[in-house]
Amino acid sequence: SDSGSYAGSSGINAEYGEMMDEGLAREVINRIQKLRKKAKLVPTDKISIFYKIDGKKKDNADVMRAIKNYSDMIVTGVKATLSDQQAPENVIISEEVDVKGSKFELTLCGDVKKTVSSGAAVQWPQGRPTGQYFTVTHQGVSREVLLAPNGNQLSAMRLENEVKAMFGLFGRSVTMSHQGSPIKCSTRDLTFLSGSTVTITAA
């Protein structure tokens, strides 16, 4: 009898679902590797990956299932742990990603001492920054920032956006302090910060 060779439609659907989930899991791996590249990380950098996904959104159901069912494959693929817990403070880079219409936040964490290029303000060739710069520090993690990236003077408002991108603080209220005094958001000339340190606190 050839009855055994015919898979019922539920079997085909299950197989298709598995293929789809595996494809989505590979997309997630791809997004993590792109973030890694953006943060200029090397394979030996020890990192942990955290994701924040809204389970109530219908669009997210497939990706959530794929991450759950293929978490081992993702962990092996990116050689880092994966968790949906709250990301710790040692954020290297955080970004919203889109996998087949499902939007969620990916955060890479780790104690990696290097400058992350979140935007023009912190980009320069290898080695020391060219031109005047200052240091921003948030909970023990420091980054160096150029005062006039690409010849454009950095304003306090732009700095705040850069800081949020660097430390994954979007959606939080940020205070930037210099020598104990908060820097006003309206400040357009930050040259007084040259060579000094700005402390970031987030509420």
Side-chain angles (χ1 to χ4, degrees), residues 53-199:
I53 190 163
D54 186 351
K56 296 184 186 73
K57 282 193 178 165
K58 220 174 120 187
D59 291 349
N60 293 340
D62 289 342
V63 168
M64 280 182 75
R65 189 184 62 246
I67 290 174
K68 207 167 147 212
N69 291 347
Y70 284 88
S71 63
D72 288 352
M73 185 179 98
I74 295 170
V75 165
T76 306
V78 298
K79 295 183 176 57
T81 55
L82 182 71
S83 168
D84 61 353
Q85 301 299 309
Q86 175 75 36
E89 293 299 336
N90 57 346
V91 171
I92 300 167
I93 190 167
S94 185
E95 201 167 275
E96 187 183 62
V97 296
D98 186 323
V99 172
K100 301 272 188 280
S102 168
K103 290 185 170 63
F104 59 98
E105 200 176 322
L106 267 181
T107 304
L108 273 49
C109 296
D111 296 314
V112 179
K113 299 287 179 227
K114 63 175 65 185
T115 304
V116 173
S117 296
S118 64
V122 285
Q123 285 175 350
W124 50 72
Q126 296 303 310
R128 303 305 311 153
T130 50
Q132 291 182 304
Y133 69 95
F134 57 96
T135 304
V136 288
T137 177
H138 173 66
Q139 300 206 320
V141 180
S142 296
R143 305 269 187 263
E144 287 154 342
V145 179
L146 284 175
L147 273 165
N150 303 332
N152 301 316
Q153 194 66 45
L154 194 64
S155 67
M157 201 174 276
R158 186 169 164 210
L159 174 61
E160 187 178 322
N161 285 330
E162 291 287 347
V163 160
K164 285 182 177 181
M166 273 184 241
F167 299 112
L169 301 172
F170 286 112
R172 293 173 69 180
S173 170
V174 167
T175 304
M176 305 183 292
S177 306
H178 176 244
Q179 295 177 346
S181 308
I183 299 167
K184 290 195 181 78
C185 209
S186 57
T187 309
R188 297 194 68 81
D189 183 1
L190 298 178
T191 45
F192 67 93
L193 295 176
S194 183
S196 60
T197 299
V198 174
T199 306

Side-chain angles (χ1 to χ4, degrees), residues 29-49 74-81 92-93 95 106 108-109 114 116:
I29 291 172
N30 177 275
R31 295 302 182 283
I32 292 168
Q33 302 294 39
K34 277 185 174 167
L35 263 191
R36 242 195 170 124
K37 209 169 172 184
K38 198 171 181 179
K40 293 186 167 42
L41 295 173
V42 294
T44 50
D45 285 332
K46 276 202 171 330
I47 60 164
S48 306
I49 297 148
I74 295 170
V75 165
T76 306
V78 298
K79 295 183 176 57
T81 55
I92 300 167
I93 190 167
E95 201 167 275
L106 267 181
L108 273 49
C109 296
K114 63 175 65 185
V116 173

